[in-house]
Amino acid sequence: MSYWIFQGGPETEWLLQKDSPFDTFFWTANKNVAAGEVAFIYLTAPISKIIAGVNILKEPFFNPAETSMFDNPFMFNKWCVEVGNALYYGQHDDLSIANMRKLFSFDWGWVRYPRGSTRIPDEIVNPFLEMLSPFLPTIAIEVQIPEVSDAN
């Protein structure tokens, strides 16, 4: 499985928040993304942070301008993908481009020049997920232990 960064403008933040009216929506994407993979949404200035994670729900498709299914011209002549299950992290300085430059600039060119959608290199995935971990929900699992009768 690959992990991706999808870029957007600050005007799209509302799509990712808990009170968004949409369970699924479309985003421009790299043509090599695959259903079942995860993308992290980076919003450009003035936010300049990763603010959410989404699941890639379907295979990407090319959206020609002349027959576009979208009104937004930004989506014309681009690869697009349906995403959902957005998990909004909020705006945290730990997820800012400035912080990511400190952590990853020697290993990952994207942080020096953020653009479009890009795959997170395999050698960066674990430290990247570790950076995100404080902002991910914790899952409590309740374990039922059966009572054992005393045989004595």
Side-chain angles (χ1 to χ4, degrees):
M1 176 166 85
S2 293
Y3 292 89
W4 299 85
I5 298 283
F6 288 175
Q7 185 171 300
E11 71 281 356
T12 60
E13 184 175 15
W14 69 273
L15 272 172
L16 303 155
Q17 295 174 338
K18 289 181 183 178
D19 59 353
S20 169
F22 301 105
D23 293 330
T24 67
F25 47 94
F26 294 90
W27 210 273
T28 58
N30 184 294
K31 68 180 179 179
N32 297 310
V33 303
E37 294 180 331
V38 173
F40 301 100
I41 307 295
Y42 168 78
L43 297 185
T44 57
I47 295 174
S48 302
K49 295 175 174 86
I50 290 178
I51 60 131
V54 295
N55 288 10
I56 298 168
L57 302 176
K58 297 185 179 175
E59 298 302 316
F61 60 92
F62 188 74
N63 181 50
E66 54 278 352
T67 59
S68 178
M69 64 185 281
F70 307 109
D71 294 333
N72 183 348
F74 184 77
M75 305 285 277
F76 294 175
N77 295 321
K78 297 215 170 85
W79 286 89
C80 299
V81 69
E82 187 173 2
V83 299
N85 306 316
L87 180 58
Y88 182 69
Y89 309 138
Q91 295 186 29
H92 301 282
D93 288 340
D94 289 348
L95 303 179
S96 70
I97 194 67
N99 189 53
M100 288 187 286
R101 283 181 181 135
K102 289 179 197 172
L103 297 172
F104 305 118
S105 67
F106 292 111
D107 303 317
W108 189 19
W110 181 85
V111 296
R112 291 187 299 275
Y113 180 67
R115 62 219 167 269
S117 62
T118 190
R119 191 176 74 76
I120 299 172
D122 293 338
E123 61 273 11
I124 302 296
V125 167
N126 286 336
F128 184 86
L129 294 176
E130 187 176 319
M131 176 191 72
L132 284 172
S133 66
F135 308 102
L136 301 175
T138 47
I139 300 171
I141 300 173
E142 184 177 333
V143 177
Q144 297 286 332
I145 300 174
E147 288 186 35
V148 178
S149 63
D150 189 7
N152 293 335

